[in-house]
Amino acid sequence: MERCKRLTCISILLHLCFSLLPSTIAISSGSAEGYTISGRVNVESMGAKGFSLPAKVSNAKIILNGGQKVTFLRPDGYFSFHNVPAGTHLIEVDAIGYLFSPVRVDVSARNPGKVQAALTENRRSLIELVLEPLREEQYYEIREPFSVMSLIKSPMGLMVGFMLIVVFLMPKLMENMDPEEIKRAQEEMRSQGVPSIANLLPGTGRS
Amino acid sequence: MAMVLRLSLFLTVLLLSLNPSSALYDDQVGLMDWHQQYIGKAKHVVFHTQKAGRKRVVVSTEENVIASLDLRRGDIFWRHALGATDTVDEMDIALGKYVITLSSGGTILRAWNLPDGQMVWESLLQGSKPSKKFLSVMNFKMDKDNIIFVFGGGCLHAVSSIDGEVLWRKELTTESLQIQQVFQPVDSDIIYAVGFVGSSQFQTYQFNAKTGELLKQSVAAFHGGFSGEISFASDDILVALDATGSHLVLILYQDEISFHQTYISDLVPDSSGVERILPTKLTGIFALKTDSSVVFLRLIGEYKLEVVEKINSAAAFSDALSFSEGQKAFGLVQHVGSRIQLVVKLDNDWNSNLLEESVEIDPQKGLVQKIFINNYMRTDKSYGFRALIVMEDHSLMLLQQGVIVWTREDGLASIIDVTTAELPVEKEGVSVSKVEHNLFEWLKGHILKLKGTLMLASPDDIAAIQAMRLKSSEKSKMTRDHNGFRKLLIVLSGAGKLFALHTGDGRVVWSLLLPSLRRSGSCQFPTGSNIYQWQVPHHHALDENPSILVVSRCGLGSDALGVLSFVDSYTGKELSSLSLAHSIAQVIPLPLTDSTEQRLHLLIDASGRAHLYPKTSEAFKIFQSEFPNIYWYSIDAEKEIIRGHALHSNCGLEETDEYCFNTRELWSIVFPSESEKIISTATRKLNEVVHTQAKVIADQDVTFKYISRNLLFVATVAPKGDCPIGSVTPEESWLVVYLIDTVTGRILHRMTHLGSQGPVHAVISENWVVYHYFNLRAHKYEMSVIEIYDQSRADNKDVWKLLLGKHNLTTPVSSYSRPEVVMKSQSYFFTHSVKTMSVTSTAKGITSKQLLIGTIGDQVLALDKRYLDPRRSINPTQAEKEEGIIPLTDSLPIIPQSYVTHSLQVEGLRGILTVPTKLESTTLVFAYGVDLFLTRIAPSRTYDSLTEDFSYALLLITIVALIAAIFVTWVLSEKKELREKWR
């Protein structure tokens, strides 16, 4: 009974893990100054539930209030902070490769045992303190596989492409043109004098 | 022309900066960055070598790191950094597979899996008062379980090593009881706890190890009193010093307590001063430390002591190691000239040595401080010993068979300060391109690269490409390069050692254990504090080597005398050192240099006097001309006062020192101590360059940045709010930020954030301040930006005024004048806690800035300054969008690709230093903590040089193809023309 008072255990899964986790409740009676916050980190995507954490997460740190206390994960993903005073606390998970939202945890002094937790990023409140990553983090840019398009898009590719157009397509276009039209265009050019880029551009737009 | 160039450059920057910041491909890791992992000074060492397989050693350190090292090579298998307050007290191995650590003042017991470092269990041990900490693991033959006995917080606990469950607990907290030793004789299941009650009573307890039952308790008074430690003289006799420190007291404790005194001077005739017993875990021999020497004493017969050896040089000895049936050995290491000598002896036989080795040692490692020994079986079935030695510079090395197998420079885990030095200029006759031997090799390399980009390379080719890129000796050469990427990082470690690291590959170029930072008669507790660039030759003084100034203090108090030493940055030799007659409260590097390009420094002592260095008449003359223009400020954190100072006159009253000056107080700002407490200050970096004061904003308008070197940012919180999150409510906490001009003491801006608290991390650059704090109402971290604009120049936009000469552009900028400034401010949420914050700096200040945020996860995040722009709004206009203003969001984005540390962590991150390179787009970033990490980043991408993966071969091929095409078309047209003519 006394233990229940002292222990603000949030994890609902206790009945499941009771036999696995005797150490969670191994707090002998004494002059405890605060409460215990227990929770679990769950990384679903790796498929490994329960006992073995993925290698990346086994190195994770759980940080209370920006570095006031630091703890680590047990093999089954559980963690706990002891001797936490009543108040509103912040728990952060540092696991390389994942983005975890910091969690706001209210430890109430008036009614012990009542604990509220909410993710600060999206204000989702948690019924039990099971922390899940918001997303996996990819630290590297993914190299796009080689494609002909990327080669063509590169400055050199564009250069070659333009040259090919000029060399092979332009004569074809000239051939397809009506000889009379060419003649008229030539006359037009002669009458306008030296063509500049400025009056060529709208000209193409008009035709 | 230059203007046009600049404009076009500016446009390119703008254009390019629209892209998100540059990220790394995973095959680029290690090209521009290096990462070094350290653990810190070893405190406890446990070997694990019994079983076949990987031999390892588990180390806990002063940096609160627990690490498992490979015994063959010294590499780290796994490592954990505990919290800053979670100091490791004791460490041991249980069940042959768990590492047990006791930390946080004996209250937290953790078990770590030995192969992979996974935490297995954690238990909280309730204690009531601080006490000594002991940990021992006991193996009961009949059980599979090992029982861990922990004494901490005044309680004795027996803990099961399988799951960390407390089996029994006994409180030993009667009044004024100080438990001195908790131990368990071999092959018995009785635990003894002995201690002093008051100053003259000796108390013993005996417990049954299995049940925790108190078997016996006895008290005896000794009229002479006790002081210091208790040690073992033999299995059943303890030894302590009496209250005066002149007698050794032998204590028989097992059945009846009895005391026997021996006068120390009878044993050690020429000893003087107060001795102390060194804490040893030897039996049969104990050690007494006197002023100059270590004396080993042995018990002969009944209560009679004998000196076995007196060692006058620095020495260290290990705990006893039981290596075969009933035999215990210990190691003793001492300096013999430039060598160290390791002796392993049986603890009951002083005269014969099991092992005697000596090995040459680098004098820059200093004296031996600790030794840990371990035994192994040689092939001829005899016993061999290996020793781990901790040196004065915190390095760790393994000595085996007379050679140093490996060394770890763990002094680099405790960096205090960093500065940089340029490398020497490339001289004539030194071959530049040793890398690319000839054109063929060069072409081959590039064709390989091209194959790589075209995805035609086989795995072998890819490996060859990667090796070629990483090995490129171009980056680790010892000369200056064109882009300014190669530099020396000069770091001062906590052990008082200077290291010069090469920015190319991170290797130690030279190291120097500063003689002035070693403990000596005149300087008992030297502490290094800062390093400054003393002499940076360029232009005419190029022949001289640059040098740095190391400032240290002889003690911890503010009035401790200062010591200066000057070190050559190229050779790592101490040029000279000065023991000052005054203390050092502040060091001000002045923007003045003398004819040998030595920078003038002003040292302010605790009594408020200023001292000029170097003490030459030339420096004095230069200084005289700038005498009235020198201002500085000081922060009195206890009284919450910020004061501004200026120089007054020569202090020639009592001493004829013309380089000493009196100062006067110009202004002071007193913060109300009942409502505000200074927690953070920030200033602009002294060497920061700002390219232009004007800022072109949307619709061709110009604003002027307020750029002042004398800007001080101060953050204060409510006194209640100066504690960790979770202990204050939003109503009783507030944060006030000030911007203060340090010349006039004028408060330019004051802003209050209600319901917020520290810790505050702030950065000032150009005309803006960014700070990070905790918002208690939202229960999230926030970052705010303040930008300062100069209004007095705002009218200069009018072209007519400019033409008619009615502008104020020619009025000189004065620090005394009252600036008309306008502040713009905005706040955003930020996800993570922050450990440290910095900002990129480039050579000319043209490139846009990035904030470098050291997050709680020990990563460094590069965040574009454009995200912290007070002009951001929810719906920016078209013109603003073109300018690059990002629509307002309530929180700052964290893009994983913009972590400059990519998938690495800089364990225990403490600081981030940015160093501009000669290439305007690029800056070097050096992050340090327990680990070191250096990389090169380009906040607006490398717009002024080709990227690493630029394919020269593709360019060549294109050119060749174009030329070929020209020829082909020429031939074709010739033919066609000919055909035309024939027609």
Side-chain angles (χ1 to χ4, degrees), chain A residues 22-23 26-29 31-32 58-59 61 63 65-68 70-75 80 82-83 86-90 92 94 96 99 102 104 120-121 123 135 137-143 145-146 151 156 159-160 163 167, chain B residues 23-27 29 80-83 85 110 112 118-120 122 124 126 163 169 453-455 724-726 774 779-781 829 831-833 856-859 894 896-897 899 902-905 907 949 954-955 958 962 965 969:
Chain A
S23 53
I27 294 173
S28 44
S29 59
S31 56
S58 75
N59 248 335
K61 272 186 215 169
I63 299 153
N65 293 343
Q68 188 192 8
V70 177
T71 191
F72 300 86
L73 292 182
R74 293 202 190 91
S80 45
H82 306 284
N83 283 344
T88 307
H89 302 277
L90 189 76
E92 286 169 279
D94 155 34
I96 201 100
L99 178 75
R104 160 199 182 129
T120 61
E121 280 297 277
R123 308 200 180 174
R135 57 166 196 250
E137 296 206 311
Q138 189 67 48
Y139 297 110
Y140 302 110
E141 207 93 321
I142 294 167
R143 230 181 237 293
F146 173 74
L151 197 68
M156 273 84 81
M159 228 152 82
V160 173
M163 194 200 72
V167 171
Chain B
L24 213 62
Y25 296 106
D26 62 357
D27 53 5
V29 172
H80 290 293
L82 306 185
T85 54
R110 293 194 180 100
W112 311 86
Q118 167 81 50
M119 190 178 83
V120 186
E122 178 187 49
L124 176 75
Q126 299 286 347
D163 51 14
R169 177 173 181 273
T453 44
L454 296 179
M455 300 281 162
I725 298 157
F774 192 71
H779 218 77
K780 276 171 121 173
Y781 284 99
F829 288 127
T831 310
H832 297 297
S833 297
I856 191 81
D858 296 323
Q859 288 169 289
I894 291 177
Q897 283 91 346
Y899 279 108
H902 43 93
S903 62
L904 300 170
Q905 279 174 299
E907 200 71 65
D949 48 354
L954 195 60
L955 180 70
T958 316
L962 282 175
T969 45

Side-chain angles (χ1 to χ4, degrees), chain B residues 419-707:
Chain B
T419 189
T420 54
E422 292 290 341
L423 283 161
V425 183
E426 196 132 7
K427 293 260 164 53
E428 290 285 316
V430 181
S431 164
V432 187
S433 53
K434 276 183 184 159
V435 210
E436 283 115 12
H437 302 283
N438 51 39
L439 188 72
F440 178 69
E441 291 261 313
W442 181 84
L443 208 64
K444 210 170 89 180
H446 277 291
I447 285 179
L448 258 181
K449 269 192 195 171
L450 180 72
K451 266 168 105 178
T453 44
L454 296 179
M455 300 281 162
L456 297 170
S458 63
D460 286 347
D461 288 346
I462 292 173
I465 296 167
Q466 195 65 9
M468 200 168 65
R469 292 163 81 186
L470 289 178
K471 232 177 26 208
S472 153
S473 59
E474 187 68 23
K475 66 178 184 185
S476 57
K477 266 200 297 193
M478 275 304 295
T479 51
R480 237 175 257 192
D481 65 333
H482 183 67
N483 290 331
F485 294 162
R486 292 198 297 258
K487 284 177 199 298
L488 284 179
L489 284 171
I490 299 182
V491 301
L492 177 65
S493 79
K497 194 175 186 184
L498 278 177
F499 293 90
L501 305 174
H502 195 288
T503 56
D505 53 2
R507 70 178 189 277
V508 175
V509 176
W510 53 259
S511 62
L512 171 73
L513 192 64
L514 276 174
S516 58
L517 275 173
R518 293 178 73 176
R519 188 183 281 215
S520 63
S522 61
C523 192
Q524 273 296 318
F525 298 100
T527 47
S529 66
N530 289 97
I531 41 182
Y532 299 91
Q533 293 181 342
W534 177 252
Q535 192 179 15
V536 188
H538 50 299
H539 307 312
H540 47 279
L542 251 177
D543 297 336
E544 282 186 61
N545 288 359
S547 55
I548 53 161
L549 166 69
V550 184
V551 177
S552 46
R553 294 182 179 91
C554 270
L556 302 166
S558 62
D559 51 352
L561 298 183
V563 179
L564 303 182
S565 42
F566 304 93
V567 179
D568 188 317
S569 316
Y570 289 170
T571 60
K573 298 275 178 295
E574 190 175 43
L575 302 170
S576 62
S577 75
L578 280 176
S579 282
L580 308 182
H582 57 84
S583 57
I584 302 173
Q586 231 176 325
V587 180
I588 305 169
L590 300 172
L592 307 167
T593 53
D594 66 5
S595 62
T596 55
E597 305 230 5
Q598 285 186 349
R599 184 169 290 271
L600 271 57
H601 284 72
L602 204 60
L603 270 58
I604 316 292
D605 65 13
S607 58
R609 269 187 232 155
H611 303 265
L612 175 71
Y613 290 90
K615 288 192 170 184
T616 59
S617 54
E618 187 202 355
F620 184 73
K621 221 175 283 168
I622 297 166
F623 182 68
Q624 203 89 52
S625 61
E626 290 293 326
F627 191 82
N629 297 332
I630 291 164
Y631 298 89
W632 70 95
Y633 67 92
S634 62
I635 296 167
D636 190 339
E638 279 162 26
K639 292 183 191 144
E640 317 296 335
I641 302 176
I642 297 180
R643 293 192 180 90
H645 306 273
L647 293 168
H648 184 241
S649 63
N650 216 320
C651 57
L653 282 176
E654 54 233 71
E655 56 211 294
T656 52
D657 184 2
E658 58 173 326
Y659 304 105
C660 165
F661 305 93
N662 282 323
T663 61
R664 62 199 161 104
E665 196 181 305
L666 289 177
W667 51 264
S668 63
I669 298 172
V670 183
F671 295 97
S673 60
E674 64 274 9
S675 65
E676 291 185 32
K677 186 176 188 318
I678 300 172
I679 52 162
S680 173
T681 56
T683 51
R684 263 180 70 185
K685 263 210 251 175
L686 283 173
N687 55 358
E688 193 192 54
V689 184
V690 179
H691 179 242
T692 170
Q693 204 195 351
K695 181 175 177 183
V696 183
I697 54 171
D699 51 40
Q700 312 299 315
D701 213 350
V702 181
T703 54
F704 291 89
K705 301 173 189 169
Y706 175 73
I707 291 163

Side-chain angles (χ1 to χ4, degrees), chain A residues 4-134:
Chain A
C4 294
K5 266 186 201 163
R6 238 174 264 291
L7 244 164
T8 2
C9 207
I10 312 156
S11 56
I12 259 176
L13 295 168
L14 255 187
H15 63 278
L16 233 168
C17 312
F18 214 76
S19 52
L20 307 169
L21 280 171
S23 53
T24 338
I25 47 159
I27 294 173
S28 44
S29 59
S31 56
E33 298 151 28
Y35 305 86
T36 299
I37 301 175
S38 306
R40 184 160 66 94
V41 170
N42 189 9
V43 181
E44 283 266 314
S45 60
M46 308 310 282
K49 258 194 166 181
F51 297 99
S52 57
L53 288 166
K56 281 203 269 187
V57 180
S58 75
N59 248 335
K61 272 186 215 169
I62 321 296
I63 299 153
L64 182 74
N65 293 343
Q68 188 192 8
K69 285 187 182 187
V70 177
T71 191
F72 300 86
L73 292 182
R74 293 202 190 91
D76 49 14
Y78 279 84
F79 65 88
S80 45
F81 289 107
H82 306 284
N83 283 344
V84 181
T88 307
H89 302 277
L90 189 76
I91 292 178
E92 286 169 279
V93 181
D94 155 34
I96 201 100
Y98 296 96
L99 178 75
F100 282 87
S101 164
V103 185
R104 160 199 182 129
V105 178
D106 294 290
V107 179
S108 160
R110 249 168 269 153
N111 34 354
K114 191 168 181 292
V115 161
Q116 289 181 321
L119 296 181
T120 61
E121 280 297 277
N122 46 19
R123 308 200 180 174
R124 192 162 66 82
S125 63
L126 300 175
I127 303 153
E128 44 176 339
L129 195 55
V130 176
L131 311 179
E132 285 172 354
L134 289 183

Side-chain angles (χ1 to χ4, degrees), chain B residues 750-818:
Chain B
R750 179 179 187 275
M751 190 155 69
T752 310
H753 297 272
L754 288 173
S756 295
Q757 70 162 163
V760 173
H761 298 273
V763 143
I764 301 190
S765 171
E766 291 194 0
N767 67 326
W768 49 263
V769 187
V770 169
Y771 51 100
H772 177 269
Y773 55 92
F774 192 71
N775 182 336
L776 282 162
R777 286 185 206 280
H779 218 77
K780 276 171 121 173
Y781 284 99
E782 251 182 28
M783 273 171 104
S784 285
V785 58
I786 304 175
E787 289 195 352
I788 314 152
Y789 290 97
D790 193 344
Q791 274 309 98
S792 58
R793 294 185 173 246
D795 327 328
N796 293 341
K797 287 175 290 193
D798 198 336
V799 184
W800 286 111
K801 275 192 180 170
L802 279 176
L803 284 177
L804 297 170
K806 282 187 178 172
H807 57 85
N808 59 353
L809 279 178
T810 45
T811 49
V813 179
S814 167
S815 297
Y816 307 116
S817 62
R818 188 190 182 88

